[in-house]
Amino acid sequence: MKATAQLSEGWSLEHEGTRIAAQVPGCVHADLLAADLIPDPFIGRNEQYIAWVGRRAWTYSRDLSAEQTSEAAFERTDLVFEGLDTVAHVDLEGRELGRTRNMHRAYRFDVTGRSGALSVTFDSAYEEAAAVKALTGGRPNAYPEPFQYIRKMACSFGWDWGPTVVTAGMWRPVRLERWSTARIAQVRPLVTVDGTRGRVELRVDLERTTTGAGRRLAAHATVAGTTATAETDGDTVTLVIEVPDVQLWWPRGHGEQPLYEVELTLTADGEQLDTWQRRVGFRTIEIDRAADEQGSGFTFVVNGVRIFVRGVNWIPDDVLPSRITPERYRTRLEQTAAAHVDLVRVWGGGIYEDEAFYDTCDELGLMVWQDFLFACAAYPEEQPLRGEVEAEARDNVVRLMPHASLVVWNGNNENLWGFRDWEWEDALAGDSWGEGYYLGLLPRVVAELDPTRPYLAGSPWSGTWDHHPNDPDHGTHHSWEVWNRQDFTEYRADVPRFVSEFGWQAPPALATLRRALPGEDLAPDSPGMLHHQKAEDGNGKLNRGVARHFALPEGDFDRWHYLTQVVQARAVATGIEHWRANWPRCAGTIVWQINDCWPVSSWAAIDGDGRLKPLYHELRRLYADRMLTVQPGPEGPELVLSNQGATPWSCDVTLRLMRADGTRAAHVRLGLTAGARETVRLPVPPEVTPATGSAKEYLVADADDLRALHFETRDKDFDYPDPRFDIAVETVGQERDTVDVVVTAQTLVRDLLLQADRIAPDARAERGLITLLPGESTRIRVHGTRGAGANTVRAALFCVEPA
């Protein structure tokens, strides 16, 4: 039987002629941080002071003992690296085992009978990129760093939300595998279902030792008590298992997520040689891209059911990805699922995530849209990159295809769009730029290895060069014109078929800023704040977004911070409410973005320290099965019930025309039903419709604890009263660290927000923005308050105020 030994201990890193302890898996930056040899790049402007790390070569070493690699009990010993970042040469007892140039692949070297000093030297990623660029020629890029010339996590080189921290090291596990006769080299499970009958076809590749060549081998597989056996004297074998009465795997919110263990055993003359285990789920997945009278659709169909996708974009959760533990993955993904998200898009400038990510998505019912790793640049298609791209794609398609959560492969992020709109064509002058990958190589690899899943050429992509790549009427659409140049109300200007990127920025939580910028007198344009704002004219866009709706605070950072959070939440809400209201023409939204990789002003709903922004709580409302909203219509406001649940929604809707002074002008009650996965919209009755342009009245719609508001003017033009409210702090049970904050409004209190981290850095509130009418109360549970009193709590409460 194959034996495996992890090589996580005993490594050291050479630095300035000395050796320091090294963590494997890990990276140079983490080891230098642990040895207090560099400052934390997340704090202040330290990023600038550690840039030299990414421009040097680094060597890791340890001893490999003879006992570990001897041939006494096994014929073969392999040294396996699951991930080397990035350009490395591996040496054992002074002789080269091999060279690598791809962070996104695994590597295996035969070290049978060899021992001695093992070293892994990583060359500078910048030097490798320069050498490849010299071979292929230059290519245009949306960012100044050379990430398109090296198969490495692109955002290591910085992004409009991330720092430039160019890592190196053994970022995934290293192990020895000792085996005889034969081993299982790879397994491709093709999982399909017809009704309740599941089918698992295991296509198995084998590797043999010299003495094992030609020997008769048997493969045995079991799924849900059903078994299959096949024999071979070659290097491949296929087993087919028909599984009756399977339960279907569903996305979160649509059903359960049953998973089935697949166990494969390789034997020779009854002796067990190797095993392989994974979990699979039975479901069907299609994307309906058929043409219709409105263009070309883009609708996910899961198990025959058409759904509106409620998605988020995912970036690496740390700029040092080796630090992301399975526990951290689970925390972040459980937060994601709790926001009623059903799809996570793994963005193409990051990494193919660890197994723990996809395992958790399998269990939580989070569909995974997996980009191949190309983003925002023209990529050369010549060698040495072309061979690396194909090998990388093959490695990762096979590695990830067992996961039920994985529902689509996507060729790239924004590169087809970039070719058409970002002035690349003239600059390229006929040079390759990646089209051959996205429309040729990658779909061929997916069709060969994983034909059970759809492949998309890119995001955005209209499906053909006959249409603009980012045409909202065809395929997927990225909506960035609004954030870059317009008011967020312009999201309502069109109805894309599927919005795979859009978003709005806000700073991180105040406690996150105080940790990242210690001692700084915080202001929107203070040095640390500007350093932790990576977007082009990011603060200008934030300020313009606020100023369109509110009086822009001057010299009041706390007020500015609050209003940017409000605008971020309202902007994303405006888009999702509009697009959900236009289901089924629009069939999904994927918000940019759910998470951050460090403390930064960004589009994230969860900041770099893991704190929830108001946007997160707003997503919980926007992505719930049932959503109530009021939308502008051609003849006036319209009431919209959006039901993405599997059962009808019947409710009484109360519509109230309210005056700014808190009195009620009129009210209407309607009994309405929205069928399963159905949207209902109807005109608001005229008696409760605010007068056009009115600054003194507004509409409130309530149904089943849901509330929607409609104002005819922007906040700075509305006749808000001075907000008045009472608060009480009630201890919950015997735990002094958990309290209920009870707020009772005396006036209209718009977008009340309790910023719990202002009470204590670890405090967290269970609710985000809340609007109260006069006389109404709300109860906000807060954890980690450390016994704070009413005055401390009141200082953490914010709401909209008169201009």
Side-chain angles (χ1 to χ4, degrees), residues 198 200 220-229 240-246 259-264 278 280 282:
V200 180
H220 315 271
T222 302
V223 182
T226 303
T227 62
T229 299
V240 177
I241 306 174
E242 301 281 349
V243 187
D245 300 321
V246 297
L259 298 169
Y260 293 80
E261 294 282 348
V262 180
E263 297 182 357
L264 173 68
R278 293 292 188 277
V280 301
F282 294 95

Side-chain angles (χ1 to χ4, degrees), residues 87-122:
V87 182
H89 49 95
V90 184
D91 296 283
L92 180 58
E93 47 184 346
R95 295 164 54 195
E96 184 177 283
L97 291 177
R99 292 178 177 262
T100 75
R101 62 196 321 158
N102 195 324
M103 178 181 182
H104 309 300
R105 293 178 57 189
Y107 295 92
R108 178 181 294 268
F109 303 106
D110 184 352
V111 294
T112 306
R114 299 176 63 180
S115 61
L118 172 64
S119 66
V120 184
T121 299
F122 293 92

Side-chain angles (χ1 to χ4, degrees), residues 515-538:
R515 187 193 70 81
L517 305 174
E520 180 160 315
D521 186 8
L522 294 175
D525 58 353
S526 59
M529 285 292 295
L530 290 178
H531 185 77
H532 288 248
Q533 166 60 276
K534 297 295 187 179
E536 181 181 2
D537 190 28

Side-chain angles (χ1 to χ4, degrees), residues 67 103 181 188 206 219 244 263 270 280 312 364 367 393 397 473 490 511 602 608 616 666-667 669 671 680 767 784:
E67 290 79 11
M103 178 181 182
T181 306
R188 291 191 295 117
L206 308 174
E263 297 182 357
V280 301
V312 292
L364 296 178
M367 296 183 288
V397 168
D473 290 331
E490 292 302 312
S602 84
Y616 173 86
H667 79 282
R669 178 168 292 180
V680 171
R767 297 190 66 177

Side-chain angles (χ1 to χ4, degrees), residues 8 42 101 124 144 146 151 220 265 272 304 327 331 382 414 430 465 527 564 590 621 631 717 749 764:
S8 56
F42 290 6
R101 62 196 321 158
S124 163
R151 296 310 299 158
H220 315 271
T265 303
Q272 190 175 103
E327 294 77 19
T331 295
E382 292 80 19
E414 298 190 345
W465 285 115
T564 56
I590 309 181
R621 178 184 70 84
Q631 293 292 301
D717 299 321
V749 179
R764 63 192 188 280

Side-chain angles (χ1 to χ4, degrees), residues 53 66 323 465 549:
V53 176
R323 299 197 299 196
W465 285 115
H549 294 266

